[in-house]
Amino acid sequence: RPEHPWGRWKFRATLLVLAFLNMIAAFLVEHVVVESAWLKRASHFVLNKKEPKNKFKIINKDMLADLEWPPNNQHNWRDYQAFSSSLS
C-alpha cells in the first residue's frame, strides 16, 4: 500500500505545533503563575507561614524595621582601640 505524500509532512507539522504550544505554555507558567504575588500569599496562607524561617531574612526584617539602622555616627579604628583598652 503506497503512503500518502502528505502523511509524513502532516505528522511533522503536528510535532512542530505541539512543540510550539509547549513553549507557549511553559512561558505562561514561568512569567504569569510563578512570579505572581497572589500565589505566594496563597501558599503562605495554606502553609500557615507568618514569619520568615531563614535566619538572614529574620535579621534583615529586623534591620528594615529599625529606623535608626545603620547608625549615623561612624566610629573609626582609634575609637575602637580606646574603647577596647578601657575594658582591660
Side-chain angles (χ1 to χ4, degrees):
R1 175 174 179 220
E3 187 177 328
H4 193 272
W6 292 104
R8 190 176 299 178
W9 294 107
K10 185 178 176 183
F11 176 73
R12 290 179 181 175
T14 304
L15 286 179
L16 285 174
V17 168
L18 288 175
F20 182 74
L21 290 175
N22 184 33
M23 182 184 70
I24 297 293
F27 179 81
L28 288 175
V29 167
E30 183 81 23
H31 289 87
V32 175
V33 176
V34 173
E35 294 181 2
S36 64
W38 65 268
L39 183 64
K40 185 175 184 177
R41 285 193 304 265
S43 68
H44 285 187
F45 177 75
V46 169
L47 298 174
N48 198 20
K49 183 177 177 187
K50 304 281 189 232
E51 297 289 327
K53 295 181 180 175
N54 186 334
K55 188 72 171 172
F56 168 77
K57 290 181 182 179
I58 293 170
I59 294 171
N60 192 31
K61 181 182 171 197
D62 291 343
M63 286 173 52
L64 290 175
D66 187 7
L67 298 177
E68 296 180 8
W69 183 261
N72 290 333
N73 53 354
Q74 297 293 325
H75 299 290
N76 59 22
W77 178 247
R78 288 187 198 132
D79 293 338
Y80 176 74
Q81 284 178 332
F83 175 74
S84 63
S85 65
S86 69
L87 291 176
S88 54

